[in-house]
Amino acid sequence: MERLELNHFKAFNNTLILDNAGGKNILLFGENGAGKSSIFSAIEYIFYRSKIEAPNPMLPIPDQQAELAAVREKYKNNQSAVPFELKFNGVNALSVNVVPYQVFMLNRFGKVEKVSLYDILSKNILPIDVNTFLSQNYSFIIDNVNNELEHSFLEPIQISIVDRTDGYVIVIHNKDTHLSRSQELDKYFNEATINLVQLLIWFSAVQLMRNPAKRCLIVLDDFITSLDAANRAYMMRYVLKNFEQEQLIMFTHDYSLFNITAFLIDHVYQTGDKWNQYKLYMVGDSHCLDLIRKISINDLKKECRKASTYDVIGNKVRKCFEQRLYDLAAELSVGQLEKTSDIIDCIGKSKNVYFNPKESLSDLIADIEAMLPTISDVTVRNTFVDKIDKFKIPEAKKLKDTVNLLRFYQKIAMHPISHGSLGVPHYCKKDVEESIKLLEQLDRCVKSILDGRI
């Protein structure tokens, strides 16, 4: 999937475009209500439309048409007066050729009293006939799940089939406690354990179903929120390791899970070049989708040389400026305490942590410097001055001047270009070029400060 366009579809009362150039894997973060499930539904509609809109052959043609209209009405945004429209890789959803694809889709699992292979596979979105598949593969699924539970998740849990006549009901056995149950599971096992078993059954089935001759998409929507913290990390490792040949599309509202996954992608498996990361959010009544990556100043310069208008690049210049400011602010405002390792060291070594919601550390230093003249002992006063000077940035005037000039261009060029203003004249190329030059200067300042070389 390289591009998905949703117009007036479910939660979206505007147009939302997921531009995924190169058909990379997708990791998308969005708060509850931001619209993740609507994107999930859009992919489902595109690839399983024939099932979703399957007519009842027992009804007369006019009733079948009314039923179809009612189905499509459910997918339309309730504030829109026009029908929804979906496009997949630039092709209208009604014309997409789904034959070359295999698409597997999974939501989270709910609470259950018993687990059966049939329920797990039939209640989620899979491109197979479940009964036929299970009759041929149930034993392989059980063996694979038990192997993963023991070796990948280090769990004392094993499963087996207790009843093949009732949807392949399983029994869960705890090797440590010798407890075995197939009914009322929720009374004897915690929800995290039951969901781990269900997830491994689903993924094991997907591994067996994969057809290497087809393009495979695996779409996962907040699928592991009920797992405990340790097994969340294990599960993400399991998914990233076992499905590296497929296109993975993962949605989550859990920021810690997003960070865990991003860390595994970038630092453990070092596959960051195969992923795009997005943030989905709302501004007023409109939904926005941003690609999470640092904007390259060299790319801005190239784009500026080729541009005939500056609407788009003005917005990128503004975002680039804000990103550099955030990089600097993270270090200057809290002394690197945003890094987990530094927070642990600070607490573990019994240092104090300082915070005032109305003032910054700069305000504290300014207050201390104002008090210094009242210290009559020169030695004591110089001791304080030396301590403060260790934290001052030498030649900070260049940094201040650069930021103030960029602030000026932010007002006269970046905001009018990026947001648009009725009656405001077009801005010349020179303003954008000067903004980019200042960004390069700011970038050098920020890198020097963070590297301790300024």
Side-chain angles (χ1 to χ4, degrees), residues 16 79 150 157 236 245 267 296 302 319 333 398 421:
L16 186 90
Q79 297 180 21
E150 181 177 1
I157 301 296
M236 293 316 305
Q245 301 302 317
H267 302 290
S296 163
K302 292 176 184 177
K319 288 183 178 180
S333 60
K398 179 181 285 187
S421 298

Side-chain angles (χ1 to χ4, degrees), residues 332-333 356-371:
L332 298 186
S333 60
N356 186 324
K358 297 182 179 179
E359 295 184 335
S360 67
L361 291 180
S362 295
D363 296 323
L364 173 63
I365 299 298
D367 289 343
I368 294 173
E369 286 184 311
M371 294 166 59

Side-chain angles (χ1 to χ4, degrees), residues 321 324 399 402 406 438-446:
F321 176 37
R324 268 51 178 186
L399 175 65
T402 303
L406 274 165
L438 287 168
L439 280 175
E440 288 185 296
Q441 190 162 299
L442 176 64
D443 212 33
R444 289 193 293 271
C445 288
V446 172

Side-chain angles (χ1 to χ4, degrees), residues 264-451:
L264 287 169
I265 290 167
D266 293 333
H267 302 290
V268 177
Y269 296 104
Q270 298 181 350
T271 55
D273 59 325
K274 297 179 180 179
W275 286 81
N276 278 328
Q277 300 175 19
Y278 299 88
K279 180 180 180 182
L280 179 65
Y281 59 97
M282 292 190 69
V283 177
D285 294 332
S286 297
H287 294 76
C288 301
L289 183 64
D290 284 345
L291 183 62
I292 303 174
R293 69 179 180 190
K294 186 163 286 187
I295 297 171
S296 163
I297 293 175
N298 285 332
D299 287 346
L300 287 178
K301 291 166 70 176
K302 292 176 184 177
E303 192 170 337
C304 187
R305 286 195 292 268
K306 297 177 181 179
S308 56
T309 60
Y310 300 96
D311 293 9
V312 174
I313 193 172
N315 193 36
K316 291 182 179 179
V317 169
R318 175 181 60 82
K319 288 183 178 180
C320 186
F321 176 37
E322 292 169 353
Q323 286 177 350
R324 268 51 178 186
L325 286 179
Y326 294 149
D327 286 344
L328 189 58
E331 301 294 335
L332 298 186
S333 60
V334 293
Q336 297 186 353
L337 281 180
E338 289 187 9
K339 297 178 182 177
T340 305
S341 59
D342 293 317
I343 296 173
I344 293 171
D345 287 344
C346 184
I347 296 172
K349 294 177 181 178
S350 300
K351 293 180 182 179
N352 288 319
V353 179
Y354 300 96
F355 174 71
N356 186 324
K358 297 182 179 179
E359 295 184 335
S360 67
L361 291 180
S362 295
D363 296 323
L364 173 63
I365 299 298
D367 289 343
I368 294 173
E369 286 184 311
M371 294 166 59
L372 289 178
T374 65
I375 300 176
S376 57
D377 189 315
V378 176
T379 302
V380 174
R381 186 167 66 245
N382 287 342
T383 300
F384 276 101
V385 171
D386 290 342
K387 287 285 186 182
I388 292 172
D389 285 346
K390 286 182 179 180
F391 288 87
K392 284 186 175 179
I393 299 173
E395 301 178 12
K397 186 176 185 300
K398 179 181 285 187
L399 175 65
K400 293 179 181 179
D401 290 345
T402 303
V403 170
N404 283 330
L405 276 172
L406 274 165
R407 186 181 184 183
F408 168 72
Y409 278 100
Q410 183 186 36
K411 294 296 182 185
I412 70 161
M414 299 182 212
H415 276 304
I417 291 174
S418 61
H419 296 303
S421 298
L422 187 63
V424 175
H426 294 290
Y427 290 89
C428 63
K429 182 178 181 181
K430 183 170 67 175
D431 290 332
V432 176
E433 289 178 333
E434 186 63 25
S435 297
I436 294 174
K437 286 181 183 178
L438 287 168
L439 280 175
E440 288 185 296
Q441 190 162 299
L442 176 64
D443 212 33
R444 289 193 293 271
C445 288
V446 172
K447 288 178 180 177
S448 298
I449 290 169
L450 302 188
D451 292 343

Side-chain angles (χ1 to χ4, degrees), residues 1-5 17-27 89-90 247-249 272-278 289-291 293 316:
M1 185 173 80
E2 296 188 353
R3 184 180 174 90
L4 182 67
E5 183 175 333
I17 297 175
L18 197 163
D19 196 348
N20 184 42
K24 296 184 178 183
N25 298 318
I26 292 170
L27 177 62
N89 293 347
Q247 184 180 20
L248 290 169
I249 301 174
D273 59 325
K274 297 179 180 179
W275 286 81
N276 278 328
Q277 300 175 19
Y278 299 88
L289 183 64
D290 284 345
L291 183 62
R293 69 179 180 190
K316 291 182 179 179

